[in-house]
Amino acid sequence: MSPAADHNQQQAILTPQTGRLALMAAKVYVTFFNFSRGPVMGGLLGEMFHVRSRGSGPGVSGFARWIDNFGITMNFPIMVAGPG
């Protein structure tokens, strides 16, 4: 085994038990999100814009949401490594 692979094994944060717990917690979150107001956003975006902007409004909103998610995804490892 290479020293780099050994170093990566020492950096493991989740044990197999906590990994399973994290997976189950994510599944529970997604399940409850899907049975609450989560799916409503797709219907709201089509109804909350004026008829003239109904085509571009949801597109711009969805694009902004994807950009925000990308920013969070790229900054999360930096924030975890820094202050924790």
Side-chain angles (χ1 to χ4, degrees), residues 4-78:
D6 186 43
H7 177 70
N8 288 339
Q9 287 181 349
Q10 292 174 356
Q11 294 294 327
I13 296 172
L14 295 177
T15 64
Q17 292 82 13
T18 56
R20 285 188 204 97
L21 178 65
L23 178 63
M24 291 306 296
K27 286 181 178 183
V28 168
Y29 171 78
V30 168
T31 300
F32 281 101
F33 181 80
N34 285 332
F35 284 110
S36 66
R37 296 188 295 174
V40 174
M41 202 58 196
L44 280 178
L45 285 176
E47 297 294 329
M48 64 191 262
F49 291 102
H50 191 269
V51 176
R52 287 183 173 171
S53 62
R54 196 166 282 176
S56 60
V60 171
S61 298
F63 179 73
R65 185 170 54 184
W66 277 98
I67 293 296
D68 289 343
N69 288 340
F70 179 75
I72 291 168
T73 301
M74 296 307 291
N75 286 316
F76 183 77
I78 298 167

